[in-house]
Amino acid sequence: ILPNESGWGFKVLGEKQFGRFVGFGSYTYNTAEGGAFGSTFSRHTITAGGAFLKPFGMRGEIGLGATWADPIDDALRDQYGLEAYWKILLTPSLWVTPGVQFLFDPSFNPDADTIGIYQIKARLFF
């Protein structure tokens, strides 16, 4: 059974575009744990990264992001992450996004130092 403790939090985020480059970052503070529609387990989370628009003249973007999360449970270690992706517009209504994530010191897997997660996502617009 997953925990479900009420609490509060806030998030500050921003992004800025410089020509074909976009930088972004966010900070989240949270005291709620668990949740019905999405689990939250970190007290502090920081993300930062950037994207390059229209790589190789194609519609889409290539991006790189990093994250740090401090779990609410002090018995768990801080988790770090790195993600790289390429969002490609295949048709006017279909994005396909292959990517990879690496988690370092995963909070919920103390036996692993690094975990690689390969992904492919699709988004269809109607």
Side-chain angles (χ1 to χ4, degrees):
I1 296 176
L2 296 174
N4 193 0
E5 298 292 330
S6 64
W8 67 277
F10 67 89
K11 183 172 189 167
V12 178
L13 60 102
E15 67 178 46
K16 175 66 177 156
Q17 183 170 345
F18 305 93
R20 290 175 51 193
F21 293 94
V22 178
F24 58 87
S26 70
Y27 168 74
T28 304
Y29 177 79
N30 172 61
T31 63
E33 189 172 0
F37 298 106
S39 297
T40 57
F41 294 102
S42 61
R43 180 181 302 115
H44 302 279
T45 305
I46 296 173
T47 63
F52 180 67
L53 307 177
K54 296 184 180 177
F56 312 109
M58 298 173 61
R59 292 186 58 185
E61 65 187 54
I62 291 177
L64 183 66
T67 187
W68 165 76
D70 170 33
I72 292 172
D73 183 346
D74 291 328
L76 299 173
R77 61 187 177 174
D78 289 5
Q79 177 173 290
Y80 303 86
L82 189 63
E83 178 180 8
Y85 67 89
W86 186 356
K87 185 187 296 184
I88 306 163
L89 183 64
L90 289 181
T91 70
S93 60
L94 177 62
W95 287 105
V96 175
T97 309
V100 62
Q101 293 181 39
F102 294 101
L103 300 179
F104 305 98
D105 298 333
S107 297
F108 293 99
N109 191 347
D111 296 330
D113 292 328
T114 304
I115 296 174
I117 304 164
Y118 303 95
Q119 62 194 20
I120 187 156
K121 298 182 265 185
R123 183 170 180 188
L124 183 61
F125 301 91
F126 292 101

